[in-house]
Amino acid sequence: MIRGTAKAALKIIDKKLLYVTAIVVAGGSSTRMKGKDKLFASLGSEPVLASSLRVLQNSKDIHEIILVMSEETVSKGRELCAMHGFDKISQVVAGGSTRAESTGKGIAAASRKADILLIHDGDRPFLTQDMIFRSIRAAAKHGAATLAVSMTPTVKRGSEGHVIETIPRKDLYEIQTPQAFQCDLLKAARAAVQQTGEAITDDCMCVEALGIRPVLVEGDRTNIKITYPEDLAIAEAIRSWKEEQIP
């Protein structure tokens, strides 16, 4: 664990107005979607990707959006932004071969004015204004924050086709996005982790390596990540259910 730069990197932000850059990571190859591009699949009247971008576009807490696409879909992403009038998107950039590399490309493109970086998966279409606000507030106070929901399924560890142990689920959480960070902290954390070569599967792991514990912000079970073809059917059901809740 890299603790040396933690104290220097973390600072409590106390400003009346924070400049927040949202980085939407949408560079996946959709390999588990059986040939269907999940980001441009229809969800109601618009593509999956447009759903979360629209929420960010309409958020008073977001000042800039960086959209990270695969190299093959950058032009398609720019067309989508123009079609839907997402003028907060300052850049659409090509990502890397891993999620960590793609996030890095987004961070590099962010405005120098950014106090907070809010990182969201483009294939989570049910982002809300409340999620954005609470994530930013927690990161401004504590340095790093992530949406999470408690685990409800029974979780077991297995090996060679057999159960080895049942893992107590009391302190287990399913991590969601958005994740939010003080900009200087995340940049310092990523630089430190890159020197070790440690594999990073989410951005919180970077600041954890500095000895900083991200705050868990209560997520929402409808905030699903679309990974498999059947997830689109689940997402459509969630969309219809949410519409029925509107008075």
Side-chain angles (χ1 to χ4, degrees):
M1 187 171 288
I2 310 161
R3 296 182 181 273
T5 56
K7 189 174 180 180
L10 177 61
K11 60 182 179 182
I12 302 301
I13 295 177
D14 183 17
K15 296 182 179 179
K16 290 184 178 179
L17 179 63
L18 297 172
Y19 191 99
V20 181
T21 295
I23 297 169
V24 178
V25 184
S29 57
S30 297
T31 53
R32 289 169 286 191
M33 288 294 293
K34 299 181 179 178
K36 192 167 191 175
D37 188 335
K38 60 186 176 182
L39 294 166
F40 292 95
S42 294
L43 181 59
S45 60
E46 62 184 8
V48 166
L49 178 58
S51 298
S52 53
L53 289 176
R54 185 174 303 285
V55 177
L56 292 165
Q57 170 72 30
N58 293 336
S59 172
K60 61 180 177 57
D61 300 307
I62 300 298
H63 301 86
E64 172 193 43
I65 305 169
I66 306 295
L67 178 57
V68 185
M69 306 289 294
S70 67
E71 193 167 342
E72 297 77 20
T73 58
V74 164
S75 60
K76 196 172 179 180
R78 288 174 179 153
E79 289 173 6
L80 180 143
C81 295
M83 181 183 304
H84 292 272
F86 297 147
D87 57 9
K88 282 188 182 179
I89 298 181
S90 60
Q91 294 189 59
V92 181
V93 299
S97 58
T98 65
R99 190 186 189 283
E101 288 179 10
S102 294
T103 304
K105 300 278 189 180
I107 293 170
S111 169
R112 292 184 180 182
K113 296 186 290 185
D115 298 303
I116 299 289
L117 298 174
L118 184 94
I119 300 173
H120 185 61
D121 297 325
D123 50 7
R124 288 187 187 270
F126 297 111
L127 179 65
T128 68
Q129 299 295 346
D130 185 57
M131 291 175 191
I132 294 170
F133 173 76
R134 290 187 292 111
S135 298
I136 292 170
R137 182 176 61 183
K141 185 175 181 181
H142 300 285
T146 181
L147 250 62
V149 292
S150 59
M151 292 285 289
T152 54
T154 297
V155 179
K156 296 182 184 289
R157 190 189 309 279
S159 178
E160 299 180 352
H162 295 273
V163 171
I164 302 301
E165 63 174 324
T166 300
I167 302 172
R169 64 190 176 191
K170 176 178 175 290
D171 297 321
L172 294 181
Y173 292 86
E174 179 184 342
I175 298 305
Q176 301 179 338
T177 66
Q179 297 182 341
F181 307 87
Q182 293 181 15
C183 185
D184 292 344
L185 171 63
L186 183 57
K187 287 181 177 179
R190 286 181 60 87
V193 169
Q194 284 172 0
Q195 293 177 4
T196 70
E198 182 180 354
I200 297 298
T201 57
D202 86 331
D203 299 285
C204 282
M205 288 180 67
C206 297
V207 298
E208 289 166 30
L210 290 182
I212 293 170
R213 296 185 296 177
V215 171
L216 294 171
V217 176
E218 185 177 0
D220 191 308
R221 298 194 187 279
T222 66
N223 184 27
I224 66 169
K225 189 174 191 291
I226 294 176
T227 304
Y228 298 99
E230 56 267 33
D231 293 334
L232 284 171
I234 295 170
E236 189 59 49
I238 291 172
R239 185 197 65 78
S240 297
W241 176 77
K242 282 180 172 286
E243 285 189 352
E244 290 173 2
Q245 309 310 304
I246 299 172

